[in-house]
Amino acid sequence: MADTSHTDLDRTQDRPVYVIGGGPGGLAAAASLRAQGLRAVVLEKSESVGASWRRHYDRLHLHTTRRLSALPGLGMPRSFGRWVSRDNVIRYLEKYAEYHELEIITGVEVNRIDRAEDGSGWLLHATGGRELTGSAVVVATGYNHTPRLPDWPGASSFTGELLHAGEYRNAAPYAGKDVLVVGVGNTGAEIAVDLVEGGASRVRLAVRTAPHIVRRSTAGWPAQLTGILCRRLPVSWVDKLAGPMAKLSIPDLSAQGLPRPSAGLYSRVREGSIPVQDVGLIAAVQKGSVEPVAAVSSFESGKVVLADGSRIEPDVVIAATGYSRALEGLVGHLGVLDPQGRPLTTGARSPEQAPDLFFQGYTNPISGMFREIAIDAGRIAKVLAR
């Protein structure tokens, strides 16, 4: 990896393609551009690649298989196993940057992107007052960029510990404690199971909308392969197929407070809700070691008020409430974001009003994020090579 210091930025004025972000999406794009004979310079605000993966909780594994999660030009070692751990993902990203001899400048954050004054290319405003001009830009700052913590009324009065899931590492600090996990996505579900296994005295899981739960693998067949096969089918078809399959493979947890969702699986995916892959949640709910409760409404007198009117008093509240893309300051003035702050175009398509500006890694498809990142990286590189 060509890891360049701040002072070396002055040598990048020959209008390379700038890639903003040194995570999986940015590295894949840079390697694909290099394979097409184009110079790509990765700008990473932290001091190392894979910064977001370094912040994830310890027990995290990819929910997609090793073979279907490799980035362009370098497979993941078989020694990583079928479900790759967080630490091995970090090792892979480090090796990936080194193997492809990527040009990466660390410790530099891009704050704003504008069209170059001559109308050709892009002007990047970076830390230290630097202005860099590139022929094209790939924005890959990450799907999980900025922790989103709901503005719950009365939250400041809570006398226990309140933290976002992005701050959670492992269950050790919470052994013997009463913990409420808010949010039943993959992160909330896995943290709840981790807390049970790590000795928390009580674990409750606040659920606003009942999720679709799928087995990570059934008889050796990974859920990811089903997602790949179904991704291009009509939404109504997948919804009709998924219902009976769920009844066969997933027990009814309604009596435990986790009913089957009313909306179809793929309908929910298209709305941005990815199914929860079971890594122990079903068994924990069945045993009563993870207790589903109503959504959090507010905080009052040191207690948590739930949507059903009940009040509980946990020692700790962990908010697995997601992340924002935080792209408004960077590109919001260009008219390339929707009202929710998401890019209007992703992958190899540039916005009509912003040619040669690409967004990489801002979707979370059921076919696997790493897989789609790899595909999109190749397509972006081919478009720019033409």
Side-chain angles (χ1 to χ4, degrees), residues 5-358:
S5 68
H6 294 209
T7 56
D8 290 327
L9 283 170
D10 295 336
R11 292 186 290 175
T12 64
Q13 298 302 314
D14 54 339
R15 298 204 172 187
V17 178
Y18 280 110
V19 179
I20 305 175
L27 298 182
S32 297
L33 288 163
R34 182 179 172 86
Q36 291 287 339
L38 301 174
R39 184 183 177 206
V41 178
V42 178
L43 303 176
E44 167 56 46
K45 71 176 182 179
S46 73
E47 297 303 321
S48 55
V49 300
S52 64
W53 275 89
R54 297 174 193 274
R55 296 192 299 267
H56 286 315
Y57 49 93
D58 295 346
R59 72 172 283 156
L60 178 65
H61 285 67
L62 284 176
H63 291 159
T64 54
T65 66
R66 171 184 54 81
R67 292 185 62 185
L68 293 173
S69 300
L71 301 180
L74 183 67
M76 290 186 175
R78 293 186 64 181
S79 60
F80 285 3
R82 194 179 199 194
W83 311 106
V84 182
S85 70
R86 183 205 67 168
D87 288 349
N88 280 335
V89 169
I90 294 168
R91 293 187 183 97
Y92 173 70
L93 296 178
E94 291 173 340
K95 180 63 177 178
Y96 190 85
E98 178 185 352
Y99 178 83
H100 287 292
E101 299 180 340
L102 301 182
E103 189 173 351
I104 301 173
I105 303 171
T106 59
V108 174
E109 182 175 6
V110 179
N111 303 307
R112 182 183 170 98
I113 302 172
D114 288 306
R115 289 298 290 175
E117 289 186 4
D118 61 5
S120 174
W122 293 95
L123 179 66
L124 286 67
H125 305 270
T127 48
R130 295 177 177 83
E131 294 185 344
L132 311 169
T133 305
S135 60
V137 176
V138 179
V139 180
T141 52
Y143 188 84
N144 295 331
H145 187 275
T146 301
R148 183 172 60 236
L149 192 65
D151 187 19
W152 286 306
S156 60
S157 69
F158 182 57
T159 54
E161 182 181 358
L162 172 61
L163 67 151
H164 189 272
E167 302 174 67
Y168 178 89
R169 292 295 171 268
N170 56 61
Y174 311 105
K177 294 186 177 182
D178 182 335
V179 186
L180 172 67
V181 181
V182 183
V184 68
N186 278 293
T187 296
E190 192 156 357
I191 287 176
V193 172
D194 195 42
L195 287 164
V196 169
E197 295 176 356
S201 63
R202 186 175 189 180
V203 179
R204 284 173 282 202
L205 185 60
V207 180
R208 181 174 299 278
T209 304
H212 284 276
I213 303 175
V214 299
R215 302 287 187 184
R216 186 167 65 173
S217 179
T218 302
W221 178 270
Q224 182 187 9
L225 282 177
T226 303
I228 292 170
L229 294 174
C230 292
R231 192 178 179 201
R232 303 300 180 188
L233 293 176
V235 174
S236 60
W237 291 15
V238 181
D239 284 349
K240 289 177 181 178
L241 289 169
M245 289 178 64
K247 290 181 179 180
L248 288 172
S249 60
I250 304 298
D252 187 358
L253 302 173
S254 299
Q256 289 79 24
L258 202 59
R260 297 188 190 277
S262 56
L265 184 149
Y266 205 20
S267 294
R268 293 281 301 278
V269 168
R270 296 297 288 270
E271 295 171 358
S273 179
I274 295 297
V276 172
Q277 292 205 9
D278 178 46
V279 290
L281 179 66
I282 293 174
V285 170
Q286 287 178 317
K287 292 176 183 177
S289 51
V290 171
E291 307 168 48
V293 296
V296 172
S297 176
S298 61
F299 290 74
E300 185 179 296
S301 302
K303 296 182 179 181
V304 180
V305 182
L306 302 180
D308 60 6
S310 61
R311 286 166 167 76
I312 60 176
E313 196 170 359
D315 301 314
V316 183
V317 175
I318 300 175
T321 47
Y323 295 78
S324 66
R325 311 294 86 83
L327 293 169
E328 289 80 2
L330 187 67
V331 296
H333 57 287
L334 298 174
V336 296
L337 304 178
D338 69 12
Q340 287 73 46
R342 298 171 299 197
L344 292 172
T345 62
T346 59
R349 293 187 301 123
S350 289
E352 185 177 347
Q353 68 274 35
D356 295 333
L357 176 65
F358 301 90

